[in-house]
Amino acid sequence: MSASTFRTPHPARTTTGTRTAAAGPAGHPASAGRAYPSLTTTVPKEFVHRASIAEVLLTDWARLDEHRFTVAAQWPRGHSFFTSTHNCHDPLMVAETFRQAGMLLAHTELGVPLGYQLLVRDLGVHIKPEHLGVGATPATVELHMTATDVRQRGGILTSCRYDAVIHRDGHPAGTAHGTVTCMAPATYRRIRTLHGPHTTQPPLTLTAPLAPQLVGRSSPKDVVLSPTTHPGQWRLRVDPTHPILFDHPLDHVPGMLLLEAARQSTTATLGHTTPPHHIDSTFNRYVELNTPCLIHTTTHPTTTPHQQTLTITARQNNHPAFHCTITLPTP
C-alpha cells in the first residue's frame, strides 16, 4: 500500500511489550496511589507512521498470546476527510484504523525498528453498517488482531498476515485482513533508486477535479479524480499538499489515496453514495507521483439480490498497479 518515509528522532528500536500510559478497552490498570481514574490517550504517532497527532486513531493495545492482540481505537463523530454518509462511519476509516493497527503491532510486538519501511500488499475490509452508525459520542472500537505466517530475520519482521475482527459495543462490526512486508531503510532506498523515478523529477501539475458532488465530496480539495474523454475512466488526481492523504512527505502515491480513488469512481459510476460493505484490494507496484495514472472502473452483474459489484484498476505506464473490488447495496 504505502511505504512510509516518515522519519523520527526517537530510538531505532522499541522494547517488546511497550505500553502507552493510558488505560483503554485493553484493560490496563491505573497506577497505584493515584486519586484519578485511568485515562485515555492516543498511541505514539511514530508507531502508526503519522506526523499529526490528530490523525492517530488508536488509543491502546495488549498482547494476548504469541500471535493474538487487541487494539483499541476511537472514531470521531466527524472527520475532515473520512466523512460519514447515511449516518454510517466511513468504511475507509475502518481501513485506516486497521492499517494503523498493523503498523503499531509491527513496531511494538514484532520487532520492527522505527524508520523501517512497512508495505501493505493487500487489504480487505468487510463491514456491518448496522453496527457502524454515528452516535451521540465518538465510537470506541476494539480490533481483535491475529498475526499469521509471521516471518522474521534476525529478530526483525520481514512479512506477516493480519486478520482482525472489529468490535463496537460488544457487537462484531466488521472484519479486515491484510499482508504487510518490512524493509530496511537502505534496502528501500536501493530499490527506489533502481526502479523508481529520479528524485529530481517534480510531481505532475495538479489536474482539475471532477465536480465534488459527483464523487460524494463537498470540497474540490478532497477529489482525487480528474475527467477524461472515455466512459468509466478517470485520471488519478494527486495533491501532495493534502493534509490527510499526505500527512508527511512521500515519494509515491499512498495506498489510502488509491482506495479513495476506487470509492470515488464507484460513486461517479453508480450515482449514489451508499457506503461499500466489502472492499478487497491488492497493491501490485508503486504508483509514482510524476507519471499519469488512469483509473478504470467496470460494473459487474451479481447473483446476490440488491447488491452491486465493481472492479477498479489503476494503470500507470500501461502496467496494472492497483486492483480493487467493491461491493455495496443498491440504494
Side-chain angles (χ1 to χ4, degrees), residues 36-58:
Y36 48 83
S38 299
L39 305 178
T40 300
T41 187
T42 58
V43 305
K45 59 188 176 65
E46 291 83 1
F47 287 158
V48 298
H49 295 196
R50 280 288 174 245
S52 171
I53 296 173
E55 297 310 317
V56 179
L57 300 173
L58 308 185

Side-chain angles (χ1 to χ4, degrees), residues 64-285:
L64 303 179
D65 58 32
E66 185 178 6
H67 297 300
R68 296 188 305 120
F69 313 86
T70 58
V71 178
Q74 186 184 79
W75 296 334
R77 297 171 64 194
H79 190 276
S80 62
F81 185 74
F82 298 114
T83 56
S84 61
T85 57
H86 300 261
N87 199 43
C88 179
H89 283 288
D90 188 351
L92 290 195
M93 180 134 60
V94 181
E96 171 63 11
T97 304
F98 176 69
R99 185 202 70 80
Q100 290 190 16
M103 302 290 173
L104 171 74
L105 295 179
H107 287 304
T108 61
E109 303 290 349
L110 299 177
V112 177
L114 290 172
Y116 270 51
Q117 309 302 316
L118 291 165
L119 302 91
V120 179
R121 298 297 186 184
D122 59 82
L123 189 150
V125 171
H126 308 271
I127 69 165
K128 296 183 177 180
E130 64 270 22
H131 297 308
L132 290 180
V134 178
T137 60
T140 298
V141 296
E142 188 169 277
L143 285 73
H144 293 196
M145 302 276 291
T146 303
T148 57
D149 197 20
V150 177
R151 302 179 184 182
Q152 294 179 308
R153 184 180 299 116
I156 296 176
L157 181 75
T158 58
S159 67
C160 76
R161 174 187 169 92
Y162 289 118
D163 290 276
V165 179
I166 302 159
H167 290 262
R168 181 189 182 189
D169 298 331
H171 301 287
T175 61
H177 62 85
T179 304
V180 64
T181 60
C182 178
M183 196 179 301
T187 303
Y188 179 76
R189 288 194 298 268
R190 184 169 63 252
I191 289 176
R192 293 298 283 149
T193 299
L194 291 174
H195 302 288
H198 297 295
T199 56
T200 56
Q201 295 178 345
L204 294 171
T205 301
L206 191 62
T207 53
L210 285 174
Q213 65 270 21
L214 296 180
V215 294
R217 286 293 180 178
S218 58
S219 170
K221 179 79 173 176
D222 294 331
V223 177
V224 299
L225 299 178
S226 293
T228 71
T229 57
H230 301 284
Q233 177 179 288
W234 295 270
R235 180 169 167 174
L236 187 66
R237 182 175 185 266
V238 180
D239 180 3
T241 69
H242 194 283
I244 310 301
L245 294 172
F246 287 87
D247 166 77
H248 55 277
L250 293 169
D251 67 352
H252 60 278
V253 173
M256 291 305 298
L257 193 157
L258 294 171
L259 287 174
E260 177 64 18
R263 190 252 297 277
Q264 289 190 17
S265 69
T266 296
T267 300
T269 299
L270 300 180
H272 61 82
T273 58
T274 304
H277 289 186
H278 305 278
I279 302 172
D280 288 289
S281 58
T282 55
F283 303 86
N284 303 316
R285 57 196 300 145

